[in-house]
Amino acid sequence: MIGSVIRTYGFFLLRTLIPLALLPALSHALGAEGFGIALTMQSLGLIGSLVVQYGFHVSASREIGLATEPAQIKLISSKVLGAQGITSVLATVLVVIGGLFTGIFSGSFWPILSAVLFTLGTGLSPAWYFRGTGRAATGIALEVIGQAVSLVAIVLFVRSPEQLEFSLLAVALGPVLSTAIGLVWLMRELGGLDRPSWKAVLDAVTIGFPLFLVRASSSGFTFGSVWIVGLLATAQDAAYFGVASKLIGAITVMSQPITFTLLPNISRAAKESRGTAIRVATKWGSALLIVALCGVAGVYVLGDFVIGVLFADDMAPAAELTKVLSWVCILVAIKETLGDLMLIPLHRDRIVAGGVMFGGASGLALALLLVPLWGSSGMVLARMVAEVLVILVLTAGVWTLLRSPQQPAVNS
């Protein structure tokens, strides 16, 4: 298990560092305004990708991890992709509407088209299939390919704000390439796909709804925060907060290799003993907290230097925002331990959904109030309050679970 986590981290570091390398290139070439538009487009695309994914990145990998026959894996994969055909149409409509209302896009066709492409490329990624079959590193490696293509295109061909449209397309087409390769790989391995009935596909959508709410309520607010700033403030505010969010996000997502790799294992352990599952989750949750603490310390020591050296001069205000936002790392580590490592493997999906819905809705309400007043600083405060509220709900859920008698895991 430890070897699998270490191997996954190697590819995950590449997937984290390549998008970070893209940020200075865009900042110097496009200026704060164009940079803010690019980050806002990407943020809108991430919101749409959550609709496409629909929680299958967790539920499908969990079910594939529990499957014992190749035919079962093929059927699960077929139903997931059928369901994502429905969610892709819905996501495209939502992203187009969101793009039309985003004032800093000025009604331009290119940011909206790029957001749609980014939505589909990111949302349809079959990384859940590789995680469920014990190859999380493979899914991440495929994503790295697309990111590298985007980075090379930006570095080689983007030199000025006049090339904004090309920059947007380059950022969006990377995920499309990765997903295309991954889907071809999946279908060749499975020998094609089954043709599940409409009822089976709709059942998959219904069953996945609680975890979709989890993602839409927590990651939806996180991924969409830059778009909200761009919607309610200025392109410059979106650029400042976007840099802070990306840098801190690179630290918080370091937990994903642990959660993705351990989810199927903890789910299997939970079938035998709830106590064993809790002990494994606690051990690895401690590792998440250590990573988060190191991340906060690193931001305070190196934040000003990194932003001053790597980014254009007009991005200096992002440094202080990054320091304040870094405290979210600790909150996210606690939240993922309680939710992804404890409650979800024990099939308490609805508790997690309720917690993140409450926190996400509260954070969104605060953002709508504070961003028009304080710009990017208002979004930082809203993000931190949202995470604290989620932790309070999940803590109550774990406490209730520990006090209840041992029983077979059910989705409650």
Side-chain angles (χ1 to χ4, degrees), residues 338 343 351 390-403:
L338 297 172
L343 292 171
I351 296 175
V390 174
I391 289 171
L392 292 176
V393 175
L394 297 187
T395 299
V398 172
W399 176 254
T400 301
L401 177 64
L402 293 176
R403 289 169 59 88

Side-chain angles (χ1 to χ4, degrees), residues 117-341:
L117 291 173
F118 193 90
T119 289
L120 298 177
T122 304
L124 289 173
S125 169
W128 47 266
Y129 167 76
F130 295 103
R131 288 196 295 268
T133 53
R135 297 172 293 169
T138 300
I140 296 173
L142 290 175
E143 295 179 19
V144 168
I145 294 174
Q147 292 174 338
V149 170
S150 294
L151 176 61
V152 170
I154 295 295
V155 171
L156 291 182
F157 300 112
V158 177
R159 294 289 183 271
S160 68
E162 286 72 26
Q163 296 169 300
L164 174 62
E165 291 82 2
F166 177 85
S167 300
L168 298 176
L169 287 175
V171 170
L173 289 176
V176 173
L177 175 62
S178 296
T179 290
I181 296 173
L183 289 174
V184 170
W185 189 333
L186 177 153
M187 287 186 282
R188 291 190 64 179
E189 253 186 25
L190 295 177
L193 297 173
D194 291 333
R195 298 186 64 178
S197 65
W198 274 104
K199 182 180 183 304
V201 171
L202 292 176
D203 284 345
V205 173
T206 301
I207 293 171
F209 188 65
L211 284 180
F212 167 66
L213 290 180
V214 172
R215 287 284 278 174
S217 300
S218 60
S219 295
F221 178 56
T222 303
F223 290 164
S225 57
V226 178
W227 175 66
I228 294 172
V229 174
L231 183 69
L232 300 178
T234 67
Q236 287 82 356
D237 274 309
Y240 303 150
F241 178 78
V243 167
S245 181
K246 293 287 187 182
L247 293 177
I248 299 307
I251 299 173
T252 59
V253 299
M254 294 303 292
S255 64
Q256 287 187 5
I258 292 178
T259 57
F260 289 161
T261 302
L262 295 179
L263 178 59
N265 296 283
I266 297 177
S267 297
R268 286 190 288 269
K271 294 177 66 177
E272 302 297 330
S273 167
R274 184 175 67 191
T276 299
I278 292 293
R279 284 193 294 273
V280 174
T282 301
K283 179 181 72 174
W284 286 101
S286 300
L288 297 185
L289 186 58
I290 292 172
V291 171
L293 289 169
C294 292
V296 174
V299 169
Y300 271 83
V301 172
L302 300 174
D304 288 312
F305 173 76
V306 169
I307 291 177
V309 170
L310 296 181
F311 292 89
D313 293 340
D314 57 4
M315 292 302 300
E320 197 60 36
L321 280 177
T322 304
K323 292 179 184 177
V324 177
L325 189 61
S326 68
W327 291 99
V328 168
C329 298
I330 296 173
L331 301 177
V332 170
I334 297 171
K335 179 185 72 175
E336 292 189 345
T337 299
L338 297 172
D340 292 348
L341 297 185

Side-chain angles (χ1 to χ4, degrees), residues 101-114:
F101 278 94
T102 304
I104 63 174
F105 289 171
S106 302
S108 173
F109 168 78
W110 295 105
I112 298 174
L113 172 62
S114 300

